[in-house]
Amino acid sequence: MSASPLVLPPVRLLSPDELARLALGVPLLERAVRLARWAGPERVVDAMGELLDADLVAAAGELGLAGDDEDGLGDTAQAWAVAVDTGLVDLEIEEEAEESTPPGEAAGRAVPGGAYERVTAGDPQDVLDVWLAAAEAALAEAVAPDLEQLPEDMAEEPEWDPEEEAAFLDTALANLYTLMALDDGTETAQGAVPLPVLAASLVVPEDMEQPSDEVLEEVTEVMMRLDDHFRLLAPAGLLDYQPVDEALIEEDEEPGQAVPGGELDPEEISRYGMVRLTPLGVHGLRELLMDAGALAPLVGDLAEATGAALLDALAGYPDHAARTEAELWLADRKPADAARELLAAARGDDAGAPSRRLMCQQTLTLVGAEAEPALREVLDDRQLGGMARVWLTESGAQDVPTPDADMIFWLTIDTLAAQLAADDDPELLSDLVRDLVARHDGFFDAAWRVEHPATADVLEAMGRLHPDRKAAKDARKAAFKARSRDGS
C-alpha cells in the first residue's frame, strides 16, 4: 500500500515574468550566466571540468571578485560549478584525456551551452528552469560533507550522512513552506519565521505542552544545523535569512538556554534567527515538492471548479486563503446563481456535509444582496433553513421567519460538527462549548433529540471539552441517549 501524499496549504505565486526577473538577479545564477558568456567561444578546463588556475583568476576578475583572495576564488569556483551543473556551459573532454590527465592540467574545453542560449533568449519558463537547476545544485552542496572536517584517517567512518542531512533539510524546507502558507501576515514580520519555531516543528511532539530540557537542547542543536544550511542557501535565491546572533551562542553556557522562552519582543526574537522563503523560493520549493509527489495547490486553482469542489477544498484551507479563494470563485459568477450552486453543494448527510455547510455559510458572507432570492428559496429546507435565516438577518433583509427550537439546535449541532472536524484550537472549542451550554437552560435534554448524523459524536466531544465536571457528565449521558435512539 502506497503512503498518502503530503498535502500542503495553498500559496500564491508571482507571475512567471516577475519570477524570471527575480531569478536573473539571484547572485548565484547571475554569476553563472556571466561566466558562461565569458567562456565563449571556449575555455580550457582540466579533467574534472574545472578552470585552470590562471583562468580562475581571470574569471574572478570578470565577476568583480578578488583573484588573489581565497573567498573570491571560492565564490568564482562555485559559480563555475553552477554553470556546468545547469548546462550554461558544456564540457568537451576526451575520455582518454579524462583518465590520463592530472587535475589542474588542460584536458578539454568548455563552451557556452544550450541553457545559456535559452536564458539569454528570455523565455520566463526557461529562465525559471535554469534557476531551479542552480537552486538544486545549491541544495546538494548544502548537505555535502565539508572536506576540511573529514577525518584524517579516511578508514574512519565520517559522522556526516549526506542522505540523512538531505532528508532533514527537505523536511525543514517543507515545514517552512507550510508555516508561511498558514501565516496570514499577523503573526510574523512579512512572513518570516523565527528559527526556533521552525526548529521546534522538527523536534517537539505536537502533544507536548511544555518541552523538557532535553527537547530544548535538541531544538538548539537543530537551530545550529539549520543556521549552517541557510547561510549557504541564501545566495541561491531560495530564502531570505537573518542568521543567529553569534553573541547569543557565546552568552549561553547551557545548550538548552539558546532557545528563547517566555514572551519576547520582535527585536529580541529576531536575534535567534529569522527565515522566509522568497517569492522565487516559494515557486521553486513548490516545484520540488510536487516532483516528490506532494499536493501543493495554488490560491485561484478553484476559480473554475464546481461549488461542491470549492466547499470540499476550503474546509482544509487556512482562513485567509479560503477567503481569497472564495472571492476568486465568486468573481465571475452572478450572486444569485453562485448562492444556489453553493447551497445545493452544502446539502447532505455524509461526514463531510457539516464542513461544506460551514464553508458555504462563510462564502455567502462575501455575496451581496442580489443573492437574497436564492437564500429565501431554502428557508424551509431542514439542512439549510437555519443558515439562510442567519444570512438574511445579517444582510438586513426584512420579514425573516423566526427559527423554531428544532432548527436552532440542529444548526448548533451541525456547526459544532464542522468545527470539530476542522480540529480547531481545543481551548477555543472548550470556551465555545461552555458559553453555549450556559446560554441554553436544559441544553443537553434538548440536544440529544436532534436528528442529525453527528449528534452523538458532538455531545461526546462536548463531554470531553466542557470544563465543568457536572456539565461534562450531562453531555456524556446525552450522547448515550442519542446513540440508543439511533440504535448505534
Side-chain angles (χ1 to χ4, degrees):
M1 179 183 293
S2 59
S4 299
L6 175 65
V7 180
L8 297 159
V11 296
R12 302 200 76 170
L13 296 181
L14 297 181
S15 70
D17 286 346
E18 292 173 301
L19 290 171
R21 282 195 292 272
L22 292 174
L24 290 172
V26 168
L28 198 61
L29 181 60
E30 189 267 342
R31 288 175 177 175
V33 170
R34 286 168 64 184
L35 288 187
R37 183 184 305 115
W38 166 84
E42 64 178 52
R43 290 285 166 174
V44 175
V45 294
D46 68 9
M48 302 296 293
E50 297 177 353
L51 294 169
L52 304 189
D53 290 346
D55 275 344
L56 183 62
V57 173
E62 177 69 19
L63 298 179
L65 301 173
D68 57 353
D69 177 79
E70 184 177 336
D71 290 338
L73 291 177
D75 290 342
T76 304
Q78 181 190 34
W80 179 258
V82 169
V84 172
D85 289 340
T86 58
L88 289 167
V89 296
D90 288 337
L91 301 178
E92 298 177 357
I93 304 173
E94 295 291 338
E95 185 175 345
E96 293 181 1
E98 188 175 356
E99 294 176 354
S100 61
T101 307
E105 295 187 13
R109 64 186 192 135
V111 299
Y116 176 72
E117 295 177 4
R118 294 197 303 276
V119 166
T120 53
D123 179 78
Q125 192 55 57
D126 285 339
V127 172
L128 291 174
D129 288 345
V130 175
W131 169 78
L132 186 56
E136 289 185 272
L139 286 166
E141 182 181 355
V143 299
D146 187 340
L147 296 179
E148 295 181 359
Q149 295 184 7
L150 286 177
E152 293 183 8
D153 180 3
M154 293 304 293
E156 180 182 344
E157 183 72 21
E159 293 183 3
W160 190 278
D161 183 338
E163 290 188 5
E164 179 183 327
E165 203 63 21
F168 164 78
L169 182 55
D170 287 347
T171 303
L173 291 173
N175 284 13
L176 176 59
Y177 183 100
T178 299
L179 289 168
M180 288 186 60
L182 293 174
D183 179 30
D184 61 3
T186 61
E187 295 296 328
T188 57
Q190 298 179 340
V193 175
L195 196 60
V197 172
L198 180 58
S201 75
L202 296 165
V203 173
V204 182
E206 290 185 7
D207 58 352
M208 180 177 285
E209 295 183 4
Q210 185 63 42
S212 63
D213 289 343
E214 291 78 9
V215 169
L216 290 177
E217 288 185 14
E218 189 176 354
V219 170
T220 300
E221 291 172 3
V222 168
M223 284 173 57
M224 295 302 100
R225 287 171 70 185
L226 292 174
D227 182 69
D228 289 339
H229 290 317
F230 291 165
R231 289 173 189 263
L232 293 173
L233 291 177
L238 278 166
L239 47 82
D240 290 326
Y241 181 52
Q242 178 180 323
V244 177
D245 185 345
E246 294 185 4
L248 285 174
I249 302 172
E250 296 173 1
E251 291 169 6
D252 296 316
E253 296 180 1
E254 295 295 330
Q257 298 302 309
V259 179
E263 293 294 327
L264 298 177
D265 61 52
E267 183 176 348
E268 187 66 19
I269 290 174
S270 69
R271 294 184 65 201
Y272 292 88
M274 300 288 287
V275 60
R276 62 182 286 272
L277 293 171
T278 64
L280 194 58
V282 173
H283 157 75
L285 189 55
R286 178 174 177 269
E287 292 291 319
L288 296 176
L289 287 166
M290 289 195 300
D291 285 346
L295 300 178
L298 292 176
V299 174
D301 277 351
L302 300 171
E304 303 300 324
T306 65
L310 176 75
L311 297 182
D312 280 335
L314 293 189
Y317 279 25
D319 290 345
H320 63 284
R323 181 184 178 89
T324 302
E325 190 72 67
E327 290 172 340
L328 293 171
W329 188 87
L330 291 168
D332 294 328
R333 290 171 170 82
K334 293 181 180 179
D337 291 343
R340 289 188 180 96
E341 184 174 352
L342 292 172
L343 289 165
R347 287 191 178 92
D349 289 321
D350 57 284
S355 296
R356 290 199 305 277
R357 283 188 282 272
L358 183 59
M359 292 302 103
C360 178
Q361 181 179 350
Q362 293 177 359
T363 302
L364 288 174
T365 63
L366 307 174
V367 180
E370 300 95 325
E372 181 175 335
L375 274 297
R376 288 194 178 274
E377 290 168 5
V378 299
L379 282 173
D380 294 330
D381 188 293
R382 179 176 66 86
Q383 297 181 345
L384 306 177
M387 179 203 309
R389 285 166 170 75
V390 171
W391 187 93
L392 290 166
T393 300
E394 292 179 348
S395 298
Q398 301 298 313
D399 301 322
V400 181
T402 301
D404 59 27
D406 288 345
M407 183 171 285
I408 292 173
F409 276 95
W410 193 96
L411 182 59
T412 300
I413 294 293
D414 197 58
T415 302
L416 283 173
Q419 291 171 325
L420 289 166
D423 197 23
D424 282 344
D425 186 331
E427 286 190 23
L428 292 177
L429 282 174
S430 178
D431 291 342
L432 174 64
V433 166
R434 182 190 60 203
D435 294 344
L436 185 64
V437 174
R439 288 200 308 269
H440 296 276
D441 290 337
F443 177 88
F444 295 116
D445 286 338
W448 74 266
R449 305 174 193 274
V450 174
E451 294 185 2
H452 188 293
T455 296
D457 290 338
V458 167
L459 291 172
E460 203 167 76
M462 292 179 77
R464 294 193 303 271
L465 291 166
H466 202 294
D468 179 73
R469 292 181 63 183
K470 181 181 184 305
K473 184 177 180 180
D474 290 342
R476 291 192 293 272
K477 285 182 178 179
F480 178 79
K481 290 181 180 179
R483 294 195 190 284
S484 300
R485 179 204 62 199
D486 296 337
S488 59

